[in-house]
Amino acid sequence: MNDFKEEYILSRQEYGSLFSYISDERVNTIYYNGKSFWIDEGSERYPAKEVPSREFTDRFISIVCNRCSKRLGATNPVVTVHTPVVSVTLISNAIAPDGPGFLIRKNKPIVRPDADELIRNGLCTKEDIEIMGDIVSSGRSFLIIGGNKTTRLKLMRHLTKYIPPTDRTVTVEESPELKISSISPGKDVTELIAAKDNDILSLAETAVCLDAKWVLLPNLRKENEKVLSYFEENSVSVGAATGGLVDTMCSDVMIEIKEDRKNAVSSYKISKIRY
């Protein structure tokens, strides 16, 4: 029971009549729009057969807020809590006139893409893989620039394979997307999430205090690029990724991804590895 509660945020009893959908492997999401419940099952969407009462939905929202120590209201109209198994997003009636609502989404297991997959999808060549593997295993900082967010995450997940398991690794994110703990069992990994009052720069100091050997920043914003030089000053290796322009001089290696459009089909590939 306790394991279920940790992974799914709430207990079986607290999910009430929604538990049948939570336990159904075919169901992807459960959505309450303030008036009705909708179930996504594969590519199909249908209304829930049993509609929980308003008393249940209010209690559900209250329990989730208590679990994540957040308050839903006018000043904080959206609250999201994640576990490796499920994500719950709450929406306040401050922005949803029909009443507070929520979305329960089951998270698909995250797996680390292997070299064959990256090569097969055209993102990189075998030579690229060998170069990047040597770069990371030697502890050199790298910056992935360009492409889309999904591609950058996929490449960074693969590159973490080359970080020695005993090297303490800290991820710094605004939302838990990299999920290195899930794909690297047995590695010394700490995941830090930036809150509104605790930005990336302050978490960088925390990572250094934790004696991190590697820090991963999968969504580096231009306004936070100074953390790259901060980590360099403190002899911390950094793996960062960004879709925009940053000061590439703050990183040992730049891995540039560009769009590759053929026959009206868009994909992404590594165009340059500068080191």
Side-chain angles (χ1 to χ4, degrees):
M1 175 67 76
N2 289 335
D3 290 342
F4 179 91
K5 187 173 178 180
E6 286 183 13
E7 292 292 301
Y8 285 85
I9 304 172
L10 288 86
S11 68
R12 291 173 171 83
Q13 289 81 0
E14 288 167 335
Y15 274 111
S17 61
L18 297 181
F19 180 71
S20 62
Y21 300 112
I22 293 292
S23 58
D24 190 336
E25 294 182 356
R26 298 168 299 177
V27 172
N28 306 319
T29 62
I30 305 164
Y31 178 51
Y32 176 60
N33 60 15
K35 298 177 295 184
S36 57
F37 279 85
W38 289 86
I39 309 300
D40 285 351
E41 186 178 307
S43 60
E44 296 183 10
R45 174 170 294 173
Y46 55 88
K49 295 178 181 177
E50 294 184 39
V51 179
S53 66
R54 181 60 180 268
E55 179 184 1
F56 167 83
T57 58
D58 288 345
R59 185 172 67 253
F60 176 88
I61 291 172
S62 176
I63 293 172
V64 173
C65 287
N66 288 336
R67 289 282 144 77
C68 64
S69 301
K70 295 180 181 179
R71 179 174 294 181
L72 184 71
T75 57
N76 195 29
V78 178
V79 168
T80 300
V81 56
H82 302 274
T83 76
V85 176
V86 68
S87 298
V88 177
T89 299
L90 308 177
I91 305 172
S92 168
N93 54 8
I95 59 173
D98 289 328
F102 56 81
L103 175 75
I104 304 171
R105 182 188 303 278
K106 295 180 184 177
N107 297 326
K108 295 180 180 179
I110 300 296
V111 296
R112 176 186 285 115
D114 60 20
D116 289 341
E117 178 184 344
L118 299 182
I119 295 170
R120 186 171 59 251
N121 292 340
L123 178 59
C124 56
T125 65
K126 182 179 179 180
E127 183 182 6
D128 292 334
I129 292 290
E130 293 174 351
I131 292 172
M132 293 185 294
D134 289 343
I135 287 168
V136 177
S137 59
S138 64
R140 297 179 66 185
S141 296
F142 65 88
L143 174 65
I144 302 170
I145 186 167
N148 61 12
K149 188 175 183 180
T150 300
T151 302
R152 293 192 298 270
L153 281 172
K154 183 177 293 186
L155 180 57
M156 184 171 284
R157 287 187 186 121
H158 174 76
L159 294 181
T160 61
K161 169 184 178 180
Y162 305 102
I163 297 176
T166 55
D167 282 8
R168 179 163 300 140
T169 302
V170 176
T171 65
V172 179
E173 304 180 76
E174 295 177 2
S175 60
E177 297 176 304
L178 197 56
K179 301 185 185 299
I180 297 302
S181 293
S182 300
I183 63 176
S184 302
K187 282 194 174 183
D188 186 358
V189 177
T190 300
E191 297 175 337
L192 301 180
I193 304 299
K196 288 184 177 180
D197 58 347
N198 194 10
D199 63 11
I200 299 294
L201 298 179
S202 62
L203 289 183
E205 297 177 0
T206 301
V208 171
C209 290
L210 292 174
D211 195 25
K213 295 294 184 289
W214 273 93
V215 172
L216 302 176
L217 301 153
N219 189 27
L220 179 67
R221 299 179 186 273
K222 183 170 179 56
E223 59 267 28
N224 292 323
E225 68 177 57
K226 68 175 81 172
V227 299
L228 298 179
S229 55
Y230 173 76
F231 287 128
E232 183 180 12
E233 293 168 2
N234 287 276
S235 301
V236 178
S237 299
V238 180
T242 178
L245 296 174
V246 298
D247 182 3
T248 56
M249 297 302 292
C250 292
S251 183
D252 293 340
V253 180
M254 186 186 76
I255 303 168
E256 185 176 351
I257 299 175
K258 286 192 174 180
E259 187 175 18
D260 184 27
R261 184 177 292 274
K262 294 180 180 179
N263 300 324
V265 177
S266 179
S267 62
Y268 294 93
K269 65 183 298 184
I270 292 176
S271 62
K272 183 187 302 181
I273 301 178
R274 186 190 303 166
Y275 59 98

